[in-house]
Amino acid sequence: MKSSEIPTAALVLGVNVTDHDLTFKGLSEVLQDGVTPFVVSLRSKECPGIKHLMQKLLTQLMGCHVDMDSANEEECPLISPNRIRCSVASLTDWYMNVTKKTDIGTPCQKRASPPRHWDTPPVVVIFQDMESFTTKVLQDFIIISSQCISEFPLVLIFGIATSPMIIHKLLPHSVSSLLCIELFQSLSCKEHLTKVIDKLLLTSQFPFKLSDKVLQVLINIFLYHDFSVQNFIKGFQLSLLEHFYSNPLSVLCCEPQEARKRVNFLSHKQCENIRRLPSFRRFVESQVSNKQTGLLTDDGCLKETVQELLQDLHSYHDNYFPILRCLHVLTLSLPKYPLGKQIRELHCACLEKKVWETEEYESVVQLVRMLAKDELVAILENCREVIISSPAKHLGDSAEKLEEYLGRFRNLEETNDDQEGSVSSVKEIQKKTDLYHLQKTLLEMKESRRFKKLTKFEMLRFEVVDFIDSLVRKHLLPAEMQILHEMVYFSSTHILREHLNAAPRVALHTALNDPYFYLKNEALKSDAGCISNTAPDICIAYKLHLECGRLINLVDWLEAFSIVVTAAEDPNSTAKDQVDDIIHARFIRAVSELELLGFIKPTKQKTDHVARLTWGSC
């Protein structure tokens, strides 16, 4: 790097722009804790010009200095933002003044030790949305900063959502040559989502779970709308809130020890709610008559049974997730990923139905039975590590079984019978080169392969596949088959769609057609098909425009609006009465708002008409 170049980091974050604020916030905290206290974060909307950029830069830097040094205004006259001169000279003077103080032993020096190639902490300027900055603002700032790089150290960080090539598109070569650019690529938003799901959902540490349909709704919103991990977490929080707010039995969605204590304090009404659960009703129907009577009439018997069932549900989760990860490890080594490349896809498939009854699972089993020895051994080692690291106590025997299979693979001596047979066949073919004998020999080889005896490796491979298949069939049952799953699983997909999948046209029609639905004002109540004069002006204009055709006469629309508005004031008023200026202004404003919302537009067919853009009631 040349001495006149500005060290610059091009940080490619991806298209999930809504998560960038959180990323830069964390980056600023890391830099302030370990590199320098002088970190400035800028946005394009705050810096329309170079003057605004310099003012924002100086304001943030001085605010950071005051917080850490608590200096008096008499000692540092540049502290007041009102006296900031938006110039590089002011920035240089401030930096020289601050670094002199930090040499004495201020909190700035204790907090961040400067890098080796700098005597003082650098000033880090973060451009969060580099693509949105005006080209002239960036060029001017870089050119000015390059002239003063010898007086104070400066580091730039460009936040990029698309491609690093945007730097060379926005900046000419004369400006970009002043930067020493280093490219940094963040993890993709899909990888972040995988980590979030792995820590929140694919663990038995947290009792709250999402059903397959709810999880699929959140994943679809992520993949097809915004790629925002933060919005996915908000959707998860909404599900958590709705589950504990709307489900009375969510009081038992807690740790097993706490759940057993809470069961003893259940009221009779809560016991009745348990008896109404579909999964519990199936459980009661499978019991003998005496047990059924006790569960349906005796609260004490019910509480004892519920404690046992909750423990079974917890054990189910302890066993489910390790086996799920083992199956995922198994499918990752197969071509085309029959059960999905991501573990969330496999999780949704297992929650939806019995995964071993699907065609994809059958293809997985067939492909695994053709794996080579080294591939199969690597898979078994990964599965053993997953099971050993899991908290499930009942899977200890499975880990020992996998260790036994690994030992048998290590000690397996491959026979050379098949190889010798194939060599002798080749020699026989070489001796008989005529077409008749060649065809005859190939047919004999084909028949011998069809009825050949399995080798020891092939027999052991079949045994391993059958063992893994038995674990899948035993522990990867769908959650809906578990008793009392309603207490810990949230399955109301319509609530998520209502809050997260916005339907703006339906919401607008509801608000304009029935303002009471949102405002909850008794004066706004009206019969269906009626137009109330107490409604907001835009609601009156909207209902009147629904009665018109493709073109709407503004004069007729205004007269109808005036009649509705003045009906309560003067019942004897007619359309022939002159419309006063106030009603005229209210009508113009209502029509302008409808045009802004996209319900109407001006038309050149008739000067006093507007065209309607929507049809139907919503």
Side-chain angles (χ1 to χ4, degrees):
M1 184 178 71
K2 299 179 181 179
S3 59
S4 60
E5 291 180 340
I6 304 175
T8 305
L11 181 57
V12 182
L13 296 176
V15 296
N16 52 329
V17 182
T18 52
D19 295 336
H20 290 184
D21 290 340
L22 191 62
T23 302
F24 284 116
K25 182 180 178 181
L27 176 61
S28 300
E29 293 175 354
V30 171
L31 292 175
Q32 289 175 351
D33 291 339
V35 179
T36 174
F38 312 123
V39 180
V40 179
S41 185
L42 303 176
R43 297 182 181 179
S44 59
K45 63 181 181 181
E46 300 171 344
C47 307
I50 186 64
K51 181 179 179 181
H52 299 86
L53 189 149
M54 295 300 300
Q55 184 177 10
K56 192 73 176 177
L57 175 66
L58 292 171
T59 303
Q60 289 193 28
L61 285 176
M62 293 182 180
C64 173
H65 171 64
V66 172
D67 291 339
M68 292 186 297
D69 258 353
S70 64
N72 296 326
E73 292 188 6
E74 297 178 357
E75 298 177 359
C76 184
L78 291 174
I79 291 300
S80 177
N82 297 327
R83 285 175 281 178
I84 293 177
R85 295 187 61 187
C86 301
S87 63
V88 179
S90 301
L91 177 61
T92 305
D93 295 340
W94 171 85
Y95 184 78
M96 296 295 294
N97 188 19
V98 171
T99 51
K100 287 180 181 179
K101 293 181 180 180
T102 55
D103 291 339
I104 302 174
T106 60
C108 292
Q109 187 179 13
K110 297 178 182 178
R111 186 177 182 182
S113 58
R116 295 179 179 178
H117 55 280
W118 281 321
D119 297 331
T120 55
V123 177
V124 179
V125 182
I126 301 175
F127 295 87
Q128 291 194 16
D129 48 347
M130 189 258 187
E131 293 102 328
S132 301
F133 274 85
T134 307
T135 304
K136 190 176 186 307
V137 173
L138 289 175
Q139 293 181 14
D140 293 345
F141 179 76
I142 294 172
I143 294 173
I144 294 172
S145 301
S146 65
Q147 302 298 324
C148 307
I149 191 66
S150 59
E151 300 181 15
F152 68 93
L154 179 67
V155 177
L156 303 181
I157 298 179
F158 290 153
I160 300 174
T162 54
S163 171
M165 294 302 297
I166 194 67
I167 297 177
H168 302 287
K169 291 182 179 180
L170 292 178
L171 304 177
H173 181 266
S174 59
V175 178
S176 61
S177 60
L178 301 175
L179 305 176
C180 180
I181 303 175
E182 187 75 20
L183 181 63
F184 295 88
Q185 179 73 48
S186 68
L187 292 177
S188 66
C189 51
K190 292 184 179 180
E191 293 178 356
H192 284 299
L193 177 66
T194 301
K195 290 186 176 181
V196 170
I197 292 178
D198 184 73
K199 293 182 179 181
L200 288 179
L201 299 179
L202 303 183
T203 175
S204 58
Q205 181 180 359
F206 305 109
F208 176 72
K209 305 296 177 186
L210 299 178
S211 67
D212 59 313
K213 295 181 180 179
V214 171
L215 181 58
Q216 197 62 52
V217 168
L218 294 178
I219 293 176
N220 288 341
I221 294 175
F222 173 85
L223 294 177
Y224 299 111
H225 287 80
D226 52 13
F227 285 104
S228 173
V229 180
Q230 194 172 0
N231 288 344
F232 179 88
I233 295 175
K234 290 180 180 179
F236 178 80
Q237 292 172 339
L238 175 63
S239 304
L240 183 69
L241 179 64
E242 284 291 338
H243 178 72
F244 282 94
Y245 177 76
S246 59
N247 188 355
L249 297 176
S250 60
V251 66
L252 299 178
C253 182
C254 56
E255 296 296 328
Q257 296 81 2
E258 183 66 22
R260 284 195 293 269
K261 296 178 182 179
R262 294 182 181 183
V263 168
N264 296 326
F265 297 99
L266 292 178
S267 63
H268 177 71
K269 184 178 180 180
Q270 290 174 319
C271 292
E272 289 297 325
N273 290 334
I274 294 177
R275 294 186 176 102
R276 295 190 187 98
L277 294 178
S279 62
F280 187 78
R281 290 168 62 181
R282 293 197 307 266
F283 171 75
V284 172
E285 293 174 356
S286 63
Q287 303 299 311
V288 297
S289 58
N290 294 336
K291 185 68 173 179
Q292 290 180 357
T293 304
L295 292 174
L296 297 177
T297 57
D298 186 4
D299 291 347
C301 178
L302 175 69
K303 293 178 182 179
E304 293 179 1
T305 306
V306 168
Q307 288 180 343
E308 297 175 359
L309 294 177
L310 288 177
Q311 184 61 41
D312 294 341
L313 184 61
H314 180 71
S315 300
Y316 161 76
H317 288 137
D318 283 344
N319 299 330
Y320 175 87
F321 295 111
I323 302 303
L324 179 73
R325 297 181 189 278
C326 291
L327 182 58
H328 178 61
V329 169
L330 193 67
T331 57
L332 278 182
S333 60
L334 303 179
K336 298 183 179 180
Y337 309 105
L339 289 175
K341 187 176 182 180
Q342 302 293 337
I343 191 171
R344 61 173 182 265
E345 303 175 49
L346 179 60
H347 179 53
C348 290
C350 294
L351 288 179
E352 184 179 1
K353 56 185 176 181
K354 297 178 181 179
V355 68
W356 57 86
E357 295 180 352
T358 61
E359 297 180 0
E360 293 79 6
Y361 182 81
E362 294 179 359
S363 63
V364 166
V365 173
Q366 294 177 0
L367 291 173
V368 172
R369 287 174 176 170
M370 294 185 290
L371 289 178
K373 177 183 175 181
D374 53 346
E375 295 177 342
L376 192 56
V377 169
I379 291 173
L380 293 181
E381 289 178 349
N382 292 334
C383 293
R384 184 194 57 181
E385 295 298 329
V386 168
I387 293 177
I388 291 176
S389 60
S390 68
K393 299 179 181 179
H394 302 288
L395 294 178
D397 298 337
S398 302
E400 295 177 359
K401 192 70 174 177
L402 291 176
E403 183 64 35
E404 178 187 345
Y405 285 130
L406 288 172
R408 292 171 62 181
F409 274 116
R410 297 189 190 100
N411 300 328
L412 187 63
E413 295 180 0
E414 296 188 11
T415 59
N416 297 324
D417 297 341
D418 295 339
Q419 296 181 1
E420 294 176 358
S422 60
V423 171
S424 62
S425 300
V426 171
K427 292 180 178 179
E428 182 116 6
I429 293 175
Q430 291 176 352
K431 292 179 181 178
K432 303 175 182 179
T433 55
D434 58 286
L435 182 60
Y436 173 76
H437 289 92
L438 177 62
Q439 184 179 6
K440 183 178 178 181
T441 305
L442 290 176
L443 289 175
E444 291 177 355
M445 290 175 59
K446 185 177 180 181
E447 291 295 329
S448 63
R449 287 174 183 172
R450 183 183 300 178
F451 300 102
K452 73 174 182 178
K453 184 179 179 181
L454 295 176
T455 63
K456 293 182 179 180
F457 166 71
E458 291 174 339
M459 294 175 63
L460 183 56
R461 183 173 56 185
F462 272 86
E463 188 176 348
V464 169
V465 173
D466 292 340
F467 172 71
I468 297 177
D469 180 64
S470 64
L471 292 179
V472 170
R473 294 174 182 268
K474 181 179 180 181
H475 298 294
L476 292 189
L477 292 168
E480 293 182 354
M481 298 181 63
Q482 304 303 313
I483 313 301
L484 304 182
H485 70 273
E486 296 91 347
M487 295 182 181
V488 296
Y489 279 87
F490 177 72
S491 57
S492 301
T493 55
H494 65 281
I495 296 178
L496 285 183
R497 290 194 178 98
E498 181 180 350
H499 289 87
L500 302 179
N501 271 356
R505 185 178 178 186
V506 176
L508 284 174
H509 172 75
T510 303
L512 297 177
N513 194 49
D514 184 16
Y516 174 78
F517 183 82
Y518 291 104
L519 300 179
K520 302 301 180 184
N521 188 351
E522 296 295 333
L524 298 177
K525 282 188 174 181
S526 61
D527 298 334
C530 298
I531 303 177
S532 174
N533 63 317
T534 59
D537 294 341
I538 187 174
C539 298
I540 298 174
Y542 176 77
K543 286 189 174 183
L544 291 173
H545 110 286
L546 291 179
E547 301 176 357
C548 303
R550 187 176 65 87
L551 295 178
I552 305 175
N553 190 315
L554 288 173
V555 177
D556 297 339
W557 197 2
L558 172 60
E559 291 179 355
F561 179 84
S562 176
I563 292 174
V564 174
V565 171
T566 59
E569 301 175 0
D570 187 7
N572 298 323
S573 62
T574 61
K576 296 180 180 180
D577 297 337
Q578 186 177 3
V579 179
D580 58 10
D581 295 340
I582 296 178
I583 295 178
H584 196 178
R586 290 168 58 184
F587 174 76
I588 293 175
R589 184 176 63 178
V591 172
S592 301
E593 291 174 348
L594 289 177
E595 182 181 356
L596 179 64
L597 293 175
F599 289 100
I600 59 174
K601 73 170 183 178
T603 178
K604 295 182 180 180
Q605 295 182 8
K606 295 183 179 181
T607 56
D608 57 345
H609 285 65
V610 292
R612 181 179 174 185
L613 298 178
T614 60
W615 300 99
S617 59
C618 63

